[in-house]
Amino acid sequence: MEKIIKLMDKSEVKVGLVGNPNCKTIMLPVAKDSVYGQEAENLKLWGVDPELGKHFIEGLIDTFQILYFDYEGHRLQHPNPENLTPENIVKDLLVIADEMNIKRFSYYGYSWLGLVGLQLAIRTDRLESLIMGGFPPMDGPYKEMMVVTNKAHEQALNNQYSPTYDEQEEYKVPEKVNWDNVQVKIDINQTKQFVTMYKSLMEFNDREIQHKINIPKMTFAGEKDTIIYGENFGNVTVDIVGILQKNKKELQNQGWDIEIFEGNDMDHTKAMQPVNVLPLIKPWLVKKLN
């Protein structure tokens, strides 16, 4: 079943619900539809599987009911520059659950959508379990990401009238993204909305809210998930795995299950791929929800 749902800012998103309605529901903010052509090549540049959402849904549908929607893609197409706050994002997710008649559900999100899961968990009692990938639930790098998003927005403002990428040019996929060479040439509203989001998190203390999350919860990251941003992005280091390892014992004492994907190639994008994530989260969800 698919349905078009109106969100808090009146924009409309396509939402799907698949699987056995008698099974537990997993909320997945991912695109089910595969991406092709130039858009797929753009995703591959960042190491992202163009069929990521499809593979997640296919991997979970035999055991769970899946509530899916491409929230990130929606926000890139329909930016919410002044009001993309954690509170409004959570309202969007709950509107989606309400419109699809889902009372209780688990949530899986990666990177900033993992951050969203933490915000969801402290704002509703409808969550049955939470999985945060690629973003630590304690001592999260909010200030570092504020710097990065501010710099990205500055670049978008400065480059908004510069020539865009020529699609006829041969597209070369690098071995590794060099953050010194990346230039942001996208809609200024796309970057502004993430400035708004991180700005609203500057006073957020994720240590003070841990007692509120009394549900099964897991966090994971790749062994090499340390992103070093160059001058273009404020010379900051976002050390996802380092923060997780530093707080591992404390998080476990708070009831978090923690997994670090081992391997010299396990960076931020590799650790989000379904081939790595599904063997971790599926048995965990089965165990925790039964």
Side-chain angles (χ1 to χ4, degrees):
M1 176 177 70
E2 289 193 337
K3 188 174 178 180
I4 302 299
I5 292 174
K6 189 172 287 188
L7 302 180
M8 300 304 295
D9 64 340
K10 308 302 182 191
S11 65
E12 295 182 331
V13 65
K14 183 169 74 171
V15 179
L17 187 63
V18 291
N20 188 336
N22 296 318
C23 294
K24 297 285 189 177
T25 301
I26 315 295
M27 179 182 278
L28 283 182
V30 298
K32 184 190 180 192
D33 297 337
S34 301
V35 176
Y36 302 98
Q38 188 59 53
E39 195 177 347
E41 293 305 314
N42 291 352
L43 287 173
K44 288 175 186 174
L45 169 67
W46 302 97
V48 177
D49 178 0
E51 297 190 311
L52 181 138
K54 177 172 174 276
H55 289 148
F56 267 115
I57 292 164
E58 287 175 349
L60 293 169
I61 196 172
D62 63 332
T63 314
F64 303 102
Q65 183 171 232
I66 312 299
L67 176 63
Y68 65 87
F69 50 95
D70 184 8
Y71 194 74
E72 182 170 49
H74 176 77
R75 282 299 161 213
L76 292 177
Q77 288 183 351
H78 305 277
N80 192 5
E82 305 301 331
N83 295 300
L84 195 72
T85 62
E87 185 178 7
N88 286 333
I89 295 171
V90 168
K91 285 179 181 176
D92 281 345
L93 301 190
L94 294 179
V95 162
I96 287 169
D98 288 343
E99 289 291 319
M100 301 302 280
N101 294 314
I102 301 297
K103 302 297 181 212
R104 291 181 60 75
F105 54 93
S106 295
Y107 178 91
Y108 165 70
Y110 192 86
S111 199
W112 75 272
L113 290 169
L115 172 164
V116 164
L118 189 66
Q119 297 297 317
L120 180 64
I122 63 175
R123 286 177 161 86
T124 183
D125 59 0
R126 294 166 65 178
L127 268 195
E128 292 187 304
S129 70
L130 168 65
I131 304 175
M132 288 177 68
F135 200 97
M138 184 182 285
D139 295 339
Y142 305 103
K143 289 182 170 57
E144 292 88 342
M145 288 309 301
M146 184 79 248
V147 173
V148 172
T149 49
N150 262 325
K151 287 292 186 181
H153 185 53
E154 283 175 21
Q155 285 190 54
L157 284 167
N158 293 335
N159 296 334
Q160 61 183 315
Y161 301 116
S162 65
T164 55
Y165 166 74
D166 180 1
E167 289 193 14
Q168 301 306 311
E169 183 183 326
E170 183 183 354
Y171 204 86
K172 293 185 173 66
V173 179
E175 291 282 323
K176 193 170 182 181
V177 175
N178 183 340
W179 287 101
D180 288 326
N181 296 335
V182 172
Q183 292 290 323
V184 177
K185 294 182 183 179
I186 60 175
D187 181 348
I188 58 173
N189 288 323
Q190 291 177 342
T191 50
K192 176 71 185 298
Q193 64 186 342
F194 293 109
V195 172
T196 297
M197 184 182 80
Y198 281 109
K199 190 175 180 181
S200 66
L201 287 164
M202 285 303 93
E203 302 302 318
F204 176 62
N205 187 329
D206 54 20
R207 286 178 166 269
E208 291 180 352
I209 52 84
Q210 292 296 327
H211 68 282
K212 297 182 180 180
I213 314 173
N214 297 312
I215 53 174
K217 46 195 185 268
M218 175 203 275
T219 182
F220 69 87
E223 183 185 338
K224 297 298 180 182
D225 193 348
T226 302
I227 306 170
I228 301 170
Y229 291 92
E231 190 176 345
N232 284 351
F233 293 90
N235 288 316
V236 297
T237 297
V238 178
D239 190 7
I240 302 293
V241 69
I243 296 168
L244 210 51
Q245 288 168 329
K246 176 182 157 220
N247 293 323
K248 185 174 181 179
K249 195 164 187 62
E250 203 169 344
L251 283 165
Q252 286 173 330
N253 289 339
Q254 295 282 359
W256 288 90
D257 291 321
I258 298 166
E259 187 74 30
I260 307 293
F261 289 136
E262 295 180 354
N264 287 328
D265 60 342
M266 277 296 171
D267 59 9
H268 194 66
T269 49
K270 191 70 181 285
M272 73 185 284
Q273 303 309 316
V275 67
N276 298 314
V277 178
L278 282 169
L280 173 68
I281 69 170
K282 188 173 183 178
W284 184 87
L285 285 164
V286 169
K287 180 181 176 184
K288 297 296 182 180
L289 297 178
N290 287 338

